[in-house]
Amino acid sequence: MLDIQQLQNIKLTSQLWLKPEYEIHPEVSGNKFRKLKYNLEAVVREGFEGVLTFGGAFSNHIAATAAAGKLLDISTVGIIRGEELAKDIDLNPTLSYAKASGMDLEFISRAAYRNKNEVSFLKSLNIKYPNFYIIPEGGTNARAVRGCSEILTEKDRDFDVICCAVGTGGTISGLINSSLPHQKIIGFPALKGAFLNEDIRKFAQHSNWELCTDYSFGGYAKVNQELIQFINQFKNDFGIPLDPVYTAKMMFGIDDLVKKGFFSRSTKILAIHTGGLQGISGMNDYLKKNNLELIT
């Protein structure tokens, strides 16, 4: 299977450290590596012909699955939200990368995409792609949560608070399950919606967690000038890039909460940098079109 690089936590301030999961692998980075690990082991062990999964125009999960498939010689299929994207593959850095990595892309309407979890829709995919292992959008399932539970190690036991960005809930569920009784897990959703609490409870084995919903910046993939300036200042201060969809919003939230005195001065905080850096190119295309400051 894929080799994993050993990581060292990075001290940012007297009470805040960062775990650079984006450095875990050069092509399959961050939490996507963790989520795919046991799923791909099952594909190989159980003799599936390939992997089929779902995602949008700039999906980290699509890019990571395509890269892993190429490295392991596993066929991959991506069901992509939005028929209109089919004509612009070469203009989209995520989709062009997935295609170059050997992923077959199938574009469907947004209305059809909403049925991605329906039994009848999944059965139709099983007929079209027999013996393909289906992974949900974002990669979250029981095997993904198991992989994400390995993010925390013995070296992290002294932290009081563990923070992570939240998309589909798989990463935070793994962190919750491997956390110690004295630790609090705080998730920063990248999108709006109370449904995340229910999704997390499907996998979380403990109750030592909460979601901080004040830093979504209007919803999934939404940004403003303040967030972009924060990303660029963070890179200037620490030499660490932040993706605009997930980790930047978490780090902005942590910084704001620290300034507001939400954490006591003795609280040791560990922030999980889950990767997603491949999405910066696509975001910069959007920012450029709207005459906004670019992510450096």
Side-chain angles (χ1 to χ4, degrees):
M1 298 304 288
L2 301 176
D3 293 327
I4 182 172
Q5 296 186 30
Q6 297 303 310
L7 308 175
Q8 295 293 329
N9 294 334
I10 301 169
K11 187 174 183 178
L12 302 179
T13 70
S14 60
Q15 68 177 138
L16 175 61
W17 282 255
L18 182 140
K19 184 179 285 292
E21 285 280 299
Y22 66 96
E23 294 183 340
I24 197 172
H25 189 278
E27 295 173 84
V28 190
S29 76
N31 63 336
K32 300 309 178 186
F33 182 105
R34 302 291 189 180
K35 288 183 173 184
L36 287 169
K37 176 182 176 180
Y38 290 111
N39 279 290
L40 294 179
E41 283 188 6
V43 170
V44 174
R45 182 179 63 250
E46 299 173 22
F48 284 91
E49 182 180 337
V51 171
L52 181 147
T53 194
F54 309 83
F58 301 101
S59 167
N60 295 324
H61 175 62
I62 287 292
T65 303
K70 179 180 180 180
L71 292 168
L72 298 175
D73 196 26
I74 295 173
S75 297
T76 56
V77 173
I79 306 299
I80 308 300
R81 180 181 65 247
E83 292 173 304
E84 72 282 1
L85 297 171
K87 66 180 185 301
D88 294 326
I89 294 176
D90 293 338
L91 300 178
N92 181 299
T94 300
L95 298 179
S96 59
Y97 174 81
K99 181 181 177 181
S101 299
M103 175 175 275
D104 290 331
L105 303 176
E106 179 176 332
F107 298 86
I108 64 175
S109 69
R110 295 171 187 276
Y113 191 86
R114 285 193 287 270
N115 298 321
K116 62 186 179 298
N117 297 320
E118 297 296 326
V119 174
S120 58
F121 183 69
L122 294 173
K123 283 184 176 180
S124 70
L125 290 176
N126 280 323
I127 294 172
K128 188 172 184 178
Y129 299 99
N131 202 33
F132 266 64
Y133 182 97
I134 296 179
I135 299 177
E137 180 185 47
T140 292
N141 58 18
R143 286 179 170 132
V145 172
R146 178 188 173 193
C148 289
S149 71
E150 297 176 354
I151 292 174
L152 296 179
T153 70
E154 181 66 21
K155 295 179 181 179
D156 302 323
R157 64 180 299 111
D158 292 334
F159 289 102
D160 305 298
V161 175
I162 314 294
C163 296
C164 75
V166 179
T168 55
T171 302
I172 191 173
S173 295
L175 293 170
I176 293 166
N177 293 347
S178 60
S179 64
L180 298 173
H182 73 275
Q183 294 177 323
K184 181 67 170 288
I185 312 299
I186 301 179
F188 292 79
L191 61 166
K192 297 187 292 185
F195 64 90
L196 280 172
N197 289 281
E198 182 179 344
D199 290 345
I200 293 168
R201 290 191 187 100
K202 293 176 184 177
F203 299 105
Q205 299 170 3
H206 310 301
S207 58
N208 59 332
W209 60 278
E210 65 177 272
L211 297 182
C212 184
T213 59
D214 296 332
Y215 302 98
S216 70
F217 285 80
Y220 183 73
K222 299 289 183 64
V223 300
N224 62 19
Q225 198 66 31
E226 184 180 21
L227 182 64
I228 299 304
Q229 290 175 351
F230 176 85
I231 293 171
N232 289 336
Q233 188 62 53
F234 192 90
K235 176 74 177 297
N236 184 64
D237 291 343
F238 303 108
I240 298 171
L242 299 175
D243 86 282
V245 177
Y246 294 104
T247 307
K249 294 180 179 182
M250 172 194 69
M251 293 307 303
F252 185 99
I254 295 171
D255 181 67
D256 191 52
L257 291 175
V258 168
K259 290 176 179 176
K260 291 177 177 177
F262 180 84
F263 303 106
S264 69
R265 291 184 180 273
S266 61
T267 300
K268 292 184 65 176
I269 307 165
L270 179 64
I272 311 299
H273 190 320
T274 49
L277 300 178
Q278 67 84 30
I280 292 177
S281 294
M283 180 59 74
N284 272 341
D285 288 342
Y286 166 81
L287 295 172
K288 187 175 181 179
K289 291 176 182 177
N290 289 273
N291 296 315
L292 297 172
E293 179 180 349
L294 302 183
I295 299 171
T296 58

